[in-house]
Amino acid sequence: MTFHQPPQLPDQPPQGAGPFGLGTPTGPGRPAGDRRRWLKYGGVALVSLLMGVGIGTSSGSAETGKATAAGTKAGARPTATVTETAEAGPVPTVTETETVTAKPKKTEKPGPATSFSGEGEYVVGEDIKAGTYKTAGPEDEFGCYWERAKDASGEFNAIIANNNLNGPGRVTLNKGEYFKTNRCQKWKRVG
């Protein structure tokens, strides 16, 4: 059985040599360059740690130095409390308030209407205002009926005037009369 060794590069130690030369053990399965890498990175980490500690204590040492100059122990760290006082502005004045209850406006009792539906019975002077009213005519083909009466009895002799309209119409209503309308469009006061 023959063993072949890989060719050696000029910068590398001969195979089987440890970091301290030939014959020093490199450990089980560790190549020779691992220890150097560990030392190199370990050294960088150690230096970084020391620098970080130095930076962290440098701001504290300035305070400690001030405290030492003031007569405190070098190891003790003084605590400082800063209290800020806000500048007082003008004090709001309290004025006496008066409660005012609004009185509702007197609403006038609504008077009799000046326009009304073309279907119903109304008392002139109470439900509707006295005057002359007009309508556009019937709502359907059966015509518009209106009736002026002296009372609400419905008797034939109570009728003052009546009419069946097939078109627009007018009627003058006097206070105290009863006005009956059927199938008419809306009535509106015109005088």
Side-chain angles (χ1 to χ4, degrees):
M1 185 185 301
T2 13
F3 294 101
H4 294 283
Q5 288 190 351
Q8 294 293 322
L9 297 174
D11 292 342
Q12 292 183 345
Q15 191 167 2
F20 302 107
L22 286 173
T24 45
T26 60
R30 286 191 183 176
D34 275 353
R35 187 168 281 161
R36 284 188 198 145
R37 236 176 297 154
W38 186 88
L39 288 174
K40 177 179 168 184
Y41 293 120
V44 169
L46 182 62
V47 170
S48 298
L49 177 67
L50 292 175
M51 285 178 63
V53 170
I55 291 171
T57 58
S58 68
S59 64
S61 65
E63 290 176 11
T64 306
K66 289 178 189 174
T68 305
T72 60
K73 293 183 180 179
R77 301 193 92 190
T79 58
T81 304
V82 177
T83 306
E84 292 185 23
T85 306
E87 202 172 299
V91 177
T93 56
V94 177
T95 59
E96 194 171 311
T97 58
E98 182 180 333
T99 304
V100 178
T101 305
K103 295 178 184 175
K105 291 182 180 179
K106 291 182 181 179
T107 55
E108 293 182 22
K109 186 176 178 182
T114 57
S115 65
F116 52 92
S117 167
E119 193 71 37
E121 188 172 337
Y122 306 94
V123 179
V124 180
E126 289 180 27
D127 299 328
I128 57 176
K129 195 169 187 173
T132 303
Y133 289 83
K134 73 174 184 174
T135 183
E139 284 190 335
D140 54 32
E141 68 272 358
F142 296 111
C144 165
Y145 173 77
W146 64 262
E147 172 185 300
R148 288 175 49 215
K150 56 183 173 181
D151 59 38
S153 67
E155 298 291 323
F156 184 73
N157 61 357
I159 297 174
I160 301 169
N162 65 351
N163 197 358
N164 282 307
L165 300 174
N166 288 326
R170 290 178 183 251
V171 64
T172 300
L173 305 174
N174 300 309
K175 188 173 182 178
E177 295 179 346
Y178 289 79
F179 182 69
K180 184 189 253 185
T181 176
N182 293 54
R183 300 179 308 274
C184 300
Q185 294 187 39
K186 188 174 187 173
W187 290 88
K188 295 179 185 175
R189 189 168 186 257
V190 292

